[in-house]
Amino acid sequence: EVVPMEEDDSEKKGDNMEQHLFKLWEEIEVKNCQKPTIDFLTHRGNLSRIMLSAYGLESERSKAKWSLKVTKQNGSIHIEKYLVEGGGHNDAAAEDRYKQRLQWGKQYQALCTKMKDASQKVEYNIAVQTKLNENMILMCAEVDARCSDGNLVDIKLANDLLTDTDRSFFFNSKLMKMWVPSYLAGVPRILIGFRDSIGRYKSEEIFETLCVPEQAKNMLYRAECSSTCVSWEDLHCCLNFLDIVLNFLKRCVEEGKFYLLTYENGDLTLKCETSIG
């Protein structure tokens, strides 16, 4: 059984989690509380975007391009999502299909958590401290629900796996995109529902986050797709790429300045701006 968090302990999805995290960090500084040294403050989605770029698995709408706002305040580097004007699908029909899939996902999450209205869905807002080599990171994340045993769970929706091609795409690409955010935030389980082409629920499966890499490799080998599962065979590649990007920012970002970190077609650039909206 999956249950939502009580509403008075959570915030709705539309809130800016990054700003809440930055504000909390500033309040700790003002109150002179003892706290660890944090090199980076950000949302798990931003780190996921960087990691997936190592495999060319950017988001459906980014078209191999993304931008992040970067600033340094009191010694800690803040990384925020940057919405490019006019972003999204250029094709109106593709954009409509994308929005339809988002709505199906919300409806499935509401179904799993027994919410009557998908628009009123509540979530856990969590802050996670972790370390990647020499980089200390404090990240925030919205987690969809918790299981009846108390463990947090991310809820996702995917196309039904009817053919070998469907299974190959899911285990080699789609599951990787779902797994990385859960792995980063230490969410132990991912509940994935499967739907048909018009959004009707077909089945679901719970994946244990730490077991996903081996499970995906086994499924791909069984389907004789071993030549395409490079990402699961070389997971340290995406972590190393994230570490390289974070070290690059530590070397280049100066206190009080604004930067735009942009990745496009394999090229990473950092541009200092007078201000970023």
Side-chain angles (χ1 to χ4, degrees):
E1 182 184 7
V2 178
V3 295
M5 183 179 181
E6 291 76 8
E7 191 158 356
D8 59 356
D9 288 330
S10 66
E11 296 176 69
K12 294 180 181 178
K13 190 172 184 178
D15 288 349
N16 191 323
M17 282 289 292
E18 293 163 340
Q19 293 304 319
H20 289 307
L21 181 69
F22 300 156
K23 184 177 179 180
L24 173 63
W25 195 247
E26 290 173 0
E27 290 176 352
I28 293 175
E29 289 175 340
V30 170
K31 294 178 181 179
N32 294 319
C33 297
Q34 184 176 1
K35 63 177 186 179
T37 299
I38 296 295
D39 298 307
F40 295 92
L41 290 90
T42 190
H43 189 282
R44 69 167 171 174
N46 299 328
L47 300 182
S48 299
R49 186 171 287 107
I50 295 172
M51 288 178 65
L52 290 170
S53 295
Y55 301 127
L57 296 176
E58 295 83 2
S59 108
E60 178 182 353
R61 305 168 88 207
S62 68
K63 302 185 184 300
K65 177 180 179 178
W66 48 258
S67 294
L68 299 171
K69 293 191 293 184
V70 181
T71 59
K72 188 174 185 179
Q73 300 177 28
N74 299 320
S76 297
I77 295 175
H78 297 194
I79 303 174
E80 303 177 62
K81 185 193 318 183
Y82 180 70
L83 297 178
V84 180
E85 186 175 350
H89 292 294
N90 294 324
D91 183 348
E95 183 69 11
D96 289 342
R97 290 194 297 271
Y98 173 79
K99 291 179 180 179
Q100 178 67 77
R101 289 193 292 272
L102 285 182
Q103 184 59 33
W104 288 339
K106 291 178 181 178
Q107 292 171 347
Y108 176 63
Q109 290 171 352
L111 174 67
C112 291
T113 55
K114 301 180 180 178
M115 298 294 294
K116 295 181 180 180
D117 185 351
S119 66
Q120 300 299 315
K121 187 176 76 69
V122 294
E123 301 168 319
Y124 282 96
N125 289 341
I126 65 172
V128 179
Q129 180 183 327
T130 189
K131 187 176 183 181
L132 178 59
N133 291 331
E134 299 304 315
N135 295 307
M136 189 67 72
I137 302 166
L138 181 62
M139 76 181 83
C140 56
E142 307 99 343
V143 182
D144 297 307
R146 61 177 173 83
C147 294
S148 54
D149 62 5
N151 281 316
L152 295 173
V153 58
D154 282 322
I155 302 175
K156 305 294 182 181
L157 188 64
N159 289 329
D160 202 5
L161 308 181
L162 301 177
T163 67
D164 286 343
T165 300
D166 293 336
R167 285 183 281 274
S168 176
F169 175 76
F170 174 77
F171 283 101
N172 197 39
S173 176
K174 190 70 174 181
L175 185 57
M176 172 67 79
K177 295 179 185 179
M178 296 176 174
W179 173 79
V180 165
S182 297
Y183 175 76
L184 279 172
V187 178
R189 293 174 184 165
I190 309 169
L191 172 61
I192 301 178
F194 296 94
R195 59 163 179 83
D196 65 14
S197 60
I198 58 174
R200 294 178 300 188
Y201 167 86
K202 292 299 180 180
S203 63
E204 65 186 19
E205 184 174 352
I206 291 181
F207 291 80
E208 300 293 332
T209 303
L210 294 181
C211 298
V212 163
E214 196 63 32
Q215 186 175 357
K217 286 190 289 185
N218 289 339
M219 289 298 297
L220 288 166
Y221 283 133
R222 197 176 307 164
E224 298 183 350
C225 298
S226 58
S227 62
T228 65
C229 63
V230 176
S231 54
W232 294 113
E233 292 285 7
D234 194 20
L235 284 178
H236 69 273
C237 175
C238 61
L239 290 170
N240 286 343
F241 183 68
L242 175 59
D243 189 50
I244 289 170
V245 172
L246 296 182
N247 287 332
F248 169 68
L249 294 178
K250 283 174 77 172
R251 291 195 308 270
C252 300
V253 173
E254 298 180 11
E255 186 78 22
K257 293 185 178 181
F258 296 87
Y259 299 84
L260 196 60
L261 179 68
T262 301
Y263 180 87
E264 183 173 13
N265 298 324
D267 293 327
L268 189 69
T269 59
L270 182 67
K271 184 179 179 181
C272 186
E273 306 280 352
T274 54
S275 64
I276 301 177

